[in-house]
Amino acid sequence: MLVSAKEMLVKAREGKYAVGQFNINNLEWTKAILLTAQECNSPVILGVSEGAGKYMAGMETVAAMVKAMDKSLGITVPVALHLDHGSYDGCYKCIKAGFTSIMFDGSHFPIEENVAKTTELVNVSHALGLSIEAEVGSIGGEEDGVVGAGECADPNECKMIADLGVDFLAAGIGNIHGKYPENWAGLSFETLEAVNNAVGELPLVLHGGTGIPDDMITKAISLGVAKINVNTECQLVFQEATRAYIEAGKDLQGKGFDPRKLLAPGFEAIKAKVKEKMELFGSVNKA
Ligand code: 13P
């Protein structure tokens, strides 16, 4: 059964580990992540960007697929279906479709408008039992064609948004989506510490999990990060595994063309990557 992400993240923050949010793009990714979570006995969050939702024929299709798959694979670990970087309208679409968690990314609005829209969405989500994430300080890099500047969040703004009743908060601390550039300055732990002190026990979210060195991940978890988003890293291993299969000419062997065989190496690569992350984040056996 799908659940809200609130309880699993409160537990993670208390237990000083983080739950991975792995973004899904198709049936194979969803299945790979669900099976790995079950094998690792780990809670998990399936993230869906608006672009990925469109690709999968809309959020209703996504919610129906994930619910049915969770049931038919016999998954018993807690699974949250979460909208990643949702627009205002996108949040309502996912609420209607049966998601169990949403992120409202109001970071590009002036703070007053971010506050008004977040307040409304907190009330609606909580009335329906969903969890809600908000963002302060835009995360850099490119997400569905939108390029953020990569800021460090203002701890006072974080406190203001936290006080609206969001269940977890993404604060920019120099993290960016996609690959980090050679000259990346690293995470700003000074900012993270100030945000953590400002918001109390609220679970914090680290976006742009791809390419952050392991020791920085561990330190971020010790400073209140309870949810870490990973997308690009799964894309990279999927791509590499599929390319190796084609370059070896394996797709041309056997009887006819079988898309299930073509996608199998990428599927296994995602499983291995998700397991590696769950071990690093400390969520194994925390279901
Ligand atoms: P990466 O693509 O850098 O792993 O970031 C994922 C993310 O933060 C999704 O919101």
Side-chain angles (χ1 to χ4, degrees):
M1 207 180 70
L2 303 185
V3 296
S4 123
K6 184 180 169 78
E7 196 186 317
M8 64 171 87
L9 294 182
V10 166
K11 273 201 200 156
R13 167 141 196 164
E14 273 170 17
K16 293 220 180 289
Y17 60 93
V19 177
Q21 172 192 306
F22 300 97
N23 285 49
I24 59 171
N25 288 284
N26 59 21
L27 180 144
E28 284 75 14
W29 288 43
T30 310
K31 189 173 164 191
I33 297 163
L34 286 178
L35 286 175
T36 310
Q38 187 68 24
E39 280 162 26
C40 291
N41 191 29
S42 166
V44 73
I45 299 169
L46 301 179
V48 186
S49 69
E50 292 192 7
K54 242 182 240 162
Y55 173 78
M56 289 184 274
M59 296 305 190
E60 284 191 21
T61 307
V62 174
M65 175 182 76
V66 171
K67 270 184 204 169
M69 200 186 282
D70 184 70
K71 190 170 161 211
S72 50
L73 292 177
I75 304 296
T76 55
V77 296
V79 177
L81 178 60
H82 180 73
L83 169 64
D84 190 26
H85 290 282
S87 62
Y88 179 77
D89 291 342
C91 285
Y92 277 105
K93 274 190 196 151
C94 288
I95 291 170
K96 197 163 154 251
F99 275 51
T100 56
S101 190
I102 56 169
M103 172 185 187
F104 173 55
D105 182 354
S107 61
H108 51 282
F109 286 117
I111 186 75
E112 298 76 22
E113 197 170 350
N114 192 358
V115 165
K117 289 191 158 65
T118 304
T119 305
E120 178 191 312
L121 285 162
V122 164
N123 292 335
V124 174
S125 307
H126 287 173
L128 296 167
L130 281 77
S131 49
I132 176 166
E133 171 181 348
E135 174 173 326
V136 179
S138 78
I139 315 293
E142 189 176 327
E143 181 85 350
D144 279 341
V146 180
V147 180
E151 309 167 346
C152 280
D154 173 351
N156 295 325
E157 278 189 21
C158 290
K159 167 90 176 111
M160 196 194 302
I161 297 289
D163 286 347
L164 303 177
V166 298
D167 299 295
F168 31 102
L169 184 75
I173 55 168
N175 43 329
I176 61 169
H177 294 119
K179 286 183 178 175
Y180 286 86
E182 292 283 320
N183 60 353
W184 180 50
L187 296 178
S188 168
F189 291 110
E190 205 185 315
T191 306
L192 181 56
E193 234 173 325
V195 170
N196 194 26
N197 289 336
V199 303
E201 291 302 299
L202 194 69
L204 299 173
V205 183
L206 184 62
H207 282 247
T210 295
I212 298 177
D214 291 1
D215 59 333
M216 287 195 197
I217 294 279
T218 310
K219 187 161 180 193
I221 293 172
S222 76
L223 292 170
V225 165
K227 171 176 180 277
I228 302 178
N229 295 3
V230 179
N231 181 21
T232 305
E233 226 167 316
C234 289
Q235 295 181 342
L236 290 171
V237 293
F238 185 81
Q239 194 184 48
E240 270 163 32
T242 310
R243 181 180 296 128
Y245 186 79
I246 292 172
E247 282 177 357
K250 292 193 182 158
D251 57 319
L252 302 173
Q253 292 163 8
K255 260 202 290 169
F257 172 76
D258 185 345
R260 286 172 284 180
K261 285 201 178 126
L262 177 67
L263 296 178
F267 172 83
E268 292 300 334
I270 290 180
K271 282 194 73 192
K273 180 54 72 179
V274 170
K275 181 166 188 265
E276 176 194 312
K277 293 295 166 187
M278 286 177 167
E279 284 167 354
L280 174 65
F281 300 165
S283 68
V284 173
N285 284 329
K286 296 290 187 342

